[in-house]
Amino acid sequence: MLNEIDLDSFEIDKEIVKAIPEETAIKNCIIAFKKTGKKLSIAASEVMSAETLSQVKFLSGFEVVMFKAQKNQIMRAIQNSYGIADVEKAIETLCSQDKNNLIDLMN
């Protein structure tokens, strides 16, 4: 079971957030919120797959420590940290792109 974090009561350093690319954060509804040595703390609304966790470790270059947070808190943190006006629209766009890529692969 993951430890829970209340992101609304946590000040997130925007430099730490940049350890995870914006597209990855939006697509997986995750946000980096703390760095301690070689460990990066990440909040997620649900448990990530092993493949996604491996990708996040690779992209960030850090060991990952997972925490559970409410989805709406993560979305607000993504908006505030990456400067995205509408996270839900960005998620829909990414999902649509993935669907189109899958259709292209099938053809």
Side-chain angles (χ1 to χ4, degrees):
M1 185 174 205
L2 298 176
N3 290 325
E4 291 193 32
I5 183 86
D6 179 3
L7 290 176
D8 289 341
S9 65
F10 200 91
E11 188 171 335
I12 300 174
D13 182 337
K14 291 185 181 182
E15 289 303 311
I16 292 171
V17 169
K18 292 179 184 176
I20 299 190
E22 180 180 323
E23 183 176 318
T24 302
I26 293 169
K27 183 176 181 181
N28 297 291
C29 194
I30 59 174
I31 190 149
F33 66 91
K34 181 179 166 187
K35 184 177 84 166
T36 308
K38 295 184 179 203
K39 293 183 179 181
L40 186 66
S41 295
I42 295 176
S45 61
E46 52 189 61
V47 177
M48 288 192 295
S49 69
E51 181 182 337
T52 302
L53 183 58
S54 178
Q55 178 187 23
V56 170
K57 286 180 181 180
F58 176 76
L59 291 171
S60 69
F62 292 97
E63 288 297 315
V64 173
V65 180
M66 294 299 306
F67 288 82
K68 182 167 178 50
Q70 293 180 10
K71 186 174 183 175
N72 62 345
Q73 289 182 351
I74 296 170
M75 291 174 70
R76 271 194 303 276
I78 289 172
Q79 278 181 308
N80 294 336
S81 300
Y82 292 103
I84 301 168
D86 188 348
V87 174
E88 288 183 18
K89 185 172 182 180
I91 290 169
E92 287 176 24
T93 300
L94 286 173
C95 289
S96 174
Q97 289 172 354
D98 286 347
K99 183 179 176 182
N100 290 337
N101 289 341
L102 181 60
I103 290 169
D104 289 345
L105 289 172
M106 293 173 67
N107 289 329

